[in-house]
């Protein structure tokens, strides 16, 4: 294994080439671009021998990997933000057609207003697409998730989105163990598709379904996704056997930190967990017993694993880099619905924070942990619903009058 | 045809073996459907070593209702706008397999990759996707079955709808004589991409059309064939007149038949004693309002003048 100080996008590019996809479709968008540039560089130097399509848009980047996947190819593409929106229509078909393509998303906010910085509003808006969604805390995990994504996609015949926070992970240089070809081949043998467009065995793919069949066609990927936890768990365990890196104590679905004796927990996706872990260390110095819970997977939603790890805490603060306008934070909504039927469910408060790259400091998170600790004795039943959602970083002074008065 | 004759004919039909048909009967297309004929000619000409990509549209809906399929060759539908993108990926996958020397694909070096798409998917919503496929030079034959409107959704205008046509979104009325913008020149747009082989055809001349399909498949790169495919429902004529209407479109010069190689027109079907456009228009409900008054008359004159100019430019009159 080679340990390199390497930029996030370059590291993911190397992992993709390591997985040896037959077709890669490339279209630039900040902050993803470095990934496809990295693959282009590797191809230019003769390290990638598949087809590298310089495509005309994200719409056709998704469409071409769908076609390639239907032809039996291992395929990869990458995007961010509005690019993911442009991919959205074809991507929704990928799960219904059971096509195991892999997509890296460098998470970035969606216009308007235009912003190139990180949050999760792009992928949260695709949560109903039927794509598996993995989230990485650091560059190493983004690299490793790339390989796990191919493995899980091909086993389940479902598309997988491997997420890494834009700039925070794409543009940072970290020491990374870049996987060598031999262990990659052991972990990820050549793809053997079950159904292809082979002309010698004609098939009709993507047919039109009438009401008597459509429900069942939709039920299948839903069921497979609900059970996908086992496959992700297996892939993560085998990944550990081959590469020696372990992800999370709940079958690779959820990662926890100092949670065993915690009264309250901070729950978040992706790189913000790193900041939260530092904040927990700081808060514990003040006697606040707080831990971190980080789902590695948002689809399928790891409900059972979360119920297990959150069973002992009084309150959960969701640090949420997304908003579903007119409702609330998608992560906390999903968490609440998982906890609702528990007899002693913890209080859940939603902290909408870090939107479009607004900096989140350790102090910010310590403040949230403090507030949560004070709330811990309050039963969820006593807590006013309109106080459950908090925007700690909101600058009231720049809001328009219609909202602030 | 007498009842006895018809019975005799039906007996013959029932003896046909359709097991090997590339596009089998029993699909849900309307009687007299021009595009369904196009589908059959395309796959019969291409043969079984073929993969067809079909965007959303009439032909996708009538041919693939699960659990039935009219397609005897491998066929895929994804969404409305992306058939060329999907075809690009399929073709790239085969190129990749071949380069890697993968044994299981050794026999597939000469696979025909064909997009079979309506005018809406071609002239309008799928244009970017098509432009990209042309530019990248994928070895794909693109066949546009041109029925000049969105027939699948109930006859709305498309970029292919000719001037004067009544559609549900360009209705004729007291202040309207139907469609008022020119038909988009897709063959020229294809040629401007540097597409080596571009051709137009009419379903009324299947031999010519099939020759063009074959020529397009022989090209090592993208090719574009656009075939006029009259739609009895959308145009308003009787089902048995499909071929007649296709022929009249050629004989009046409204649908010129030509080939382009590397951007130059190389062959034009000449029309002796070109018929006046009225003969074509009066046979279709979509143009019937043009015969109701002065404004319609003016529109017909304009259409005729445009056809004359086009005929001169292409040197159609024999």
């Amino acid at each position: 294994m080679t340990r390199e100080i390497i930029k996030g996008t370059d590291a993911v590019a190397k992992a993709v080439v390591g997985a040896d996809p037959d077709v890669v479709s490339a279209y630039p968008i900040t902050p993803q671009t470095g990934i496809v540039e990295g693959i282009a560089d590797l191809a230019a130097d003769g390290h990638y021998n598949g087809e590298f399509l310089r495509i005309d848009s994200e719409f056709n980047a998704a469409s071409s990997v769908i076609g390639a996947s239907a032809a039996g190819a291992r395929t990869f593409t990458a995007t961010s933000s509005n690019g993911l929106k442009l991919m959205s229509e074809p991507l929704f078909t990928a799960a219904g057609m059971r096509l195991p393509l892999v997509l890296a998303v460098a998470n970035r906010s969606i216009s308007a207003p235009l912003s190139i910085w990180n949050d999760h509003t792009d992928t949260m808006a695709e949560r109903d697409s039927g794509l598996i969604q993995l989230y990485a805390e650091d560059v190493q995990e983004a690299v490793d998730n790339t390989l796990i994504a191919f493995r899980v996609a091909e086993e389940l015949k479902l598309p997988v989105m491997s997420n890494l926070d834009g700039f925070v992970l794409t543009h940072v240089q970290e020491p990374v163990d870049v996987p060598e070809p031999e262990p990659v081949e052991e972990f990820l043998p050549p793809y053997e598709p079950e159904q292809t467009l082979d002309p010698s065995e004609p098939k009709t793919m993507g047919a039109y379904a009438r009401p008597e069949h459509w429900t069942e066609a939709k039920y299948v990927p839903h069921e497979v996704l609900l059970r996908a936890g086992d496959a992700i768990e297996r892939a993560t365990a085998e990944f550990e056997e081959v590469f020696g890196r372990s992800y999370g104590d709940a079958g690779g679905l959820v990662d926890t930190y100092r949670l065993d004796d915690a009264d309250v927990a901070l729950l978040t996706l992706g790189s913000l967990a790193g900041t939260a872990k530092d904040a927990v260390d700081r808060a514990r110095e003040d006697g606040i017993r707080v831990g971190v819970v980080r789902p590695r997977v948002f689809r399928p939603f790891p409900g059972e694993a979360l119920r297990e790890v959150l069973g002992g805490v009084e309150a959960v603060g969701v640090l949420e880099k997304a908003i579903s306008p007119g409702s609330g934070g998608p992560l906390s909504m999903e968490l609440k619905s998982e906890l609702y039927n528990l007899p002693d469910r913890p209080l859940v408060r939603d902290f909408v924070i870090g939107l479009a790259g607004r900096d989140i400091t350790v102090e910010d998170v310590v403040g949230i942990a403090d507030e949560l600790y004070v709330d811990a004795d309050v039963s969820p039943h006593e807590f006013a619903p309109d106080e459950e959602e908090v925007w700690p970083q909101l600058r009231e002074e720049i809001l328009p009058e219609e909202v602030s008065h | 045809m007498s009842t006895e004759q018809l019975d005799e004919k039906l007996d013959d039909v029932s003896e046909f073996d359709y097991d090997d048909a590339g596009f089998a009967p029993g699909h849900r297309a309307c009687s007299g459907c021009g595009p369904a004929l196009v589908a059959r000619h395309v796959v019969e000409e291409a043969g079984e070593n073929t993969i067809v990509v079909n965007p959303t549209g009439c032909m996708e809906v009538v041919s693939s209702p699960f659990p039935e399929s009219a397609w005897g060759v491998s066929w895929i539908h994804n969404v409305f706008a992306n058939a060329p993108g999907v075809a690009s990926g399929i073709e790239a996958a085969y190129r990749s397999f071949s380069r890697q020397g993968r044994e299981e694909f050794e026999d597939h070096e000469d696979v025909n990759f064909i997009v079979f798409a309506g005018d809406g998917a071609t002239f309008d919503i799928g244009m970017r996707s098509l432009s990209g496929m042309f530019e990248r030079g994928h070895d794909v034959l693109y066949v546009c079955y041109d029925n000049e409107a969105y027939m699948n959704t109930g006859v709305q205008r498309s970029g292919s709808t000719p001037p004067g046509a009544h559609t549900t979104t360009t209705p004729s009325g007291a202040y309207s004589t139907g469609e008022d913008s020119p038909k988009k020149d897709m063959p020229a747009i294809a040629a401007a991409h540097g597409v080596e082989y571009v051709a137009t055809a009419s379903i009324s001349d299947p031999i010519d059309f099939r020759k063009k399909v074959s020529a397009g498949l022989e090209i090592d790169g993208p090719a574009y064939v656009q075939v006029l495919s009259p739609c009895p429902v959308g145009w308003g004529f009787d089902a048995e007149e499909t071929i007649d209407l296709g022929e009249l479109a050629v004989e009046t010069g409204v649908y010129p038949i030509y080939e382009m190689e590397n951007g130059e027109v190389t062959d034009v079907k000449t029309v002796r004693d070109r018929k006046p456009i009225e003969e074509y228009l009066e046979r279709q409900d979509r143009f019937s309002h043009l015969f109701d008054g002065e404004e319609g008359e003016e529109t017909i004159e304009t259409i005729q003048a445009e056809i004359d100019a086009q005929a001169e430019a292409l040197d159609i009159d024999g």
Side-chain angles (χ1 to χ4, degrees):
Chain A
M1 205 163 286
T2 339
R3 174 157 276 222
E4 298 177 45
I5 307 282
I6 188 170
K7 198 174 154 189
T9 48
D10 288 333
V12 170
K14 285 195 171 183
V16 171
V17 169
D20 196 22
D22 302 296
V23 177
V24 170
S25 289
Y27 192 79
I29 182 169
T30 303
Q32 171 283 117
T33 313
I35 297 175
V36 293
E37 284 175 338
I39 299 168
D41 278 342
L42 290 164
D45 290 334
H47 302 300
Y48 172 60
N49 296 315
E51 284 293 319
F52 183 79
L53 298 182
R54 293 131 184 114
I55 215 93
D56 48 89
S57 61
E58 285 93 350
F59 180 75
N60 286 310
S63 302
S64 55
V65 292
I66 282 168
S69 186
R74 178 175 285 169
T75 62
F76 174 85
T77 189
T79 192
S80 287
S81 180
N82 288 55
L84 183 59
K85 298 303 104 193
L86 197 48
M87 286 188 175
S88 182
E89 189 206 6
L91 281 186
F92 264 67
T93 70
M97 291 176 76
R98 305 292 303 277
L99 298 173
L101 40 106
V102 170
L103 173 74
V105 178
N107 296 103
R108 166 184 152 185
S109 51
I110 300 171
S111 299
L114 178 69
S115 157
I116 58 166
W117 309 104
N118 165 250
D119 64 31
H120 297 146
T121 46
D122 54 0
T123 44
M124 287 297 132
E126 298 299 316
R127 64 183 186 166
D128 301 333
S129 64
L131 268 71
I132 289 171
Q133 293 195 13
L134 308 176
Y135 286 82
E137 182 178 329
D138 55 24
V139 176
Q140 183 69 65
E141 191 174 5
V143 164
D144 296 348
N145 277 354
T146 307
L147 300 178
I148 291 170
F150 279 108
R151 174 71 185 262
V152 169
E154 289 166 12
E155 183 182 332
L156 297 175
K157 291 177 283 174
L158 280 177
V160 178
M161 189 188 276
S162 177
N163 294 291
L164 64 160
D165 286 319
F167 292 103
V168 185
L169 298 185
T170 55
H171 285 59
V172 72
Q173 295 206 18
E174 283 181 9
V176 174
D177 285 336
V178 178
E180 296 285 351
E182 267 175 36
V184 171
E185 214 167 302
E186 186 187 338
F187 178 68
L188 199 63
Y191 173 42
E192 286 177 21
E194 209 167 283
Q195 303 278 346
T196 73
L197 288 166
D198 181 352
S200 63
E201 286 175 50
K203 281 167 211 78
T204 291
M205 288 192 188
Y208 157 59
R210 286 162 293 176
E212 61 266 38
H213 295 111
W214 200 90
T215 301
E216 289 69 22
K218 218 61 193 172
Y219 182 76
V220 171
H222 172 56
E223 263 301 299
V224 177
L225 259 166
L226 285 176
R227 294 181 206 159
D230 291 347
I232 297 167
E233 189 170 355
R234 244 185 346 264
T236 313
E238 281 170 37
F239 186 88
E240 187 181 351
E241 268 174 40
V242 177
F243 295 95
R245 281 188 293 281
S246 159
Y247 285 104
D249 31 31
L253 300 176
V254 173
D255 168 38
T256 62
Y257 181 73
R258 300 188 79 169
L259 194 68
D260 289 346
D261 63 339
D263 299 320
V264 296
L266 298 169
L267 187 140
T268 192
L269 290 175
S271 63
L272 181 50
T275 311
K277 286 171 183 175
D278 284 350
V280 160
D281 291 343
R282 186 86 59 84
R284 277 184 175 260
E285 286 169 16
D286 301 333
I288 293 174
R289 288 206 301 267
V290 56
V292 173
V293 177
R294 179 177 69 89
R296 295 187 66 245
V297 182
F298 181 69
R299 278 290 178 276
F301 195 72
E304 200 184 326
L306 288 173
R307 282 197 299 274
E308 262 169 44
V309 300
L310 292 171
V313 302
E314 300 294 325
V316 185
V318 181
L319 306 177
E320 185 122 50
K321 291 207 256 185
I323 184 70
S324 176
S327 181
L331 188 55
S332 71
M333 281 194 275
E334 302 236 353
L335 179 68
K336 283 177 190 171
S337 87
E338 287 298 339
L339 301 176
Y340 184 78
N341 288 328
L342 291 182
D344 298 314
R345 60 181 185 264
L347 169 73
V348 176
R349 292 193 80 192
D350 189 14
F351 298 87
V352 179
I353 194 169
L355 293 185
R358 188 164 294 181
D359 194 30
I360 306 165
T361 62
V362 170
E363 287 70 30
D364 291 334
V365 183
V366 169
I368 288 169
D370 277 347
E371 192 176 339
L372 207 59
Y373 201 64
V374 173
D375 294 340
D377 290 336
V378 184
S379 154
H381 305 287
E382 294 163 35
F383 212 90
D386 64 348
E387 292 168 0
E388 285 173 11
E389 184 184 305
V390 190
W391 291 60
Q393 297 178 318
L394 194 68
R395 295 177 57 197
E396 305 261 357
E397 73 278 12
I398 60 171
L399 289 174
E401 217 165 275
E402 59 168 322
V403 171
S404 55
H405 291 282
Chain B
M1 199 181 287
S2 71
T3 316
E4 289 82 43
Q5 279 174 314
L6 187 66
D7 283 345
E8 209 173 297
K9 207 171 172 77
L10 284 174
D11 281 346
D12 284 350
V13 168
S14 64
E15 281 168 21
F16 285 146
D17 181 2
Y18 286 109
D19 285 352
D20 297 326
F23 187 72
H27 52 73
R28 313 298 172 84
C30 310
S31 308
C33 174
L37 285 174
V38 173
R40 246 185 90 180
H41 287 304
V42 167
V43 290
E44 278 179 13
E45 190 61 28
E48 61 188 14
N49 199 18
T50 295
I51 298 173
V52 172
V53 184
N54 199 164
T56 311
C58 274
M59 283 299 99
E60 171 259 334
V61 169
V62 304
S63 67
S64 78
F66 183 83
E68 294 134 19
S69 173
W71 296 92
V73 294
S74 271
W75 177 95
I76 184 169
H77 159 256
N78 195 244
V79 297
F80 195 4
N82 74 355
V86 172
S88 299
I90 297 169
E91 189 258 4
Y94 273 78
R95 228 175 326 127
S96 185
F97 299 153
S98 160
R99 193 194 307 167
Q100 295 166 46
R102 277 168 57 172
E103 271 177 33
E104 65 270 38
F105 290 95
E106 256 176 19
D107 302 337
H108 301 325
E109 284 200 353
D110 302 317
V111 176
N112 300 312
F113 303 100
I114 300 177
V115 176
F116 171 64
D119 50 280
T122 307
F123 288 59
D124 299 339
I125 196 170
M127 177 83 116
R128 168 178 64 201
S129 193
L130 180 55
S131 175
M133 187 194 91
F134 283 157
E135 183 219 344
R136 289 186 301 273
H138 292 278
D139 188 15
V140 176
L141 168 66
Y142 193 100
V143 177
C144 171
Y145 62 90
D146 182 9
N147 56 25
E148 302 190 324
Y150 292 95
M151 302 315 186
N152 189 42
T153 40
V155 199
Q156 296 79 32
R157 63 88 60 191
S158 77
S160 172
T161 302
H166 164 107
T167 72
T168 58
T169 50
T170 55
S172 55
Y175 294 93
S176 165
T177 51
E179 173 64 50
D180 59 1
S181 37
K183 183 183 173 102
K184 204 185 275 183
D185 191 351
M186 263 314 293
I189 292 168
H193 281 79
V195 172
E196 191 179 328
Y197 183 77
V198 173
T200 64
S202 168
I203 199 59
S204 60
D205 187 349
I207 294 169
D208 175 69
F209 171 54
R210 287 173 70 141
K211 239 168 57 189
K212 286 167 176 172
V213 167
S214 191
L217 287 172
E218 268 166 38
I219 299 292
D220 186 19
Y224 179 79
V225 176
Q226 181 179 305
V227 53
L228 182 69
S229 316
C231 170
V233 178
W235 294 13
F237 60 82
D238 289 338
E240 69 267 25
E241 293 176 36
T242 305
I243 301 299
D244 285 354
L245 262 299
E247 207 162 272
L248 264 176
V250 179
E251 288 168 350
T252 54
V254 71
Y255 212 88
I257 306 301
Y258 56 92
E259 282 178 308
M260 295 174 86
E261 282 168 44
N262 301 312
E264 301 292 325
V265 176
T266 49
D267 191 41
V268 180
K269 185 181 170 71
T270 51
V271 181
R272 203 166 289 172
D273 304 322
R274 185 155 50 85
K275 292 179 175 167
I277 192 60
E278 280 95 334
E279 287 192 27
Y280 175 68
L281 303 178
E282 69 190 7
R283 299 269 297 268
Q284 308 170 52
D285 290 347
R286 63 174 174 160
F287 296 115
S288 60
H289 59 282
L290 298 180
F291 297 90
D292 285 346
E294 220 170 275
E295 266 182 66
E297 219 169 278
E298 275 171 33
T299 305
I300 293 172
E301 274 169 32
T302 313
I303 294 170
Q304 185 65 65
E306 277 163 11
I307 291 170
D308 292 344
Q310 183 179 258
E312 200 181 326
L314 283 168
D315 200 12
I316 279 176
D317 295 310

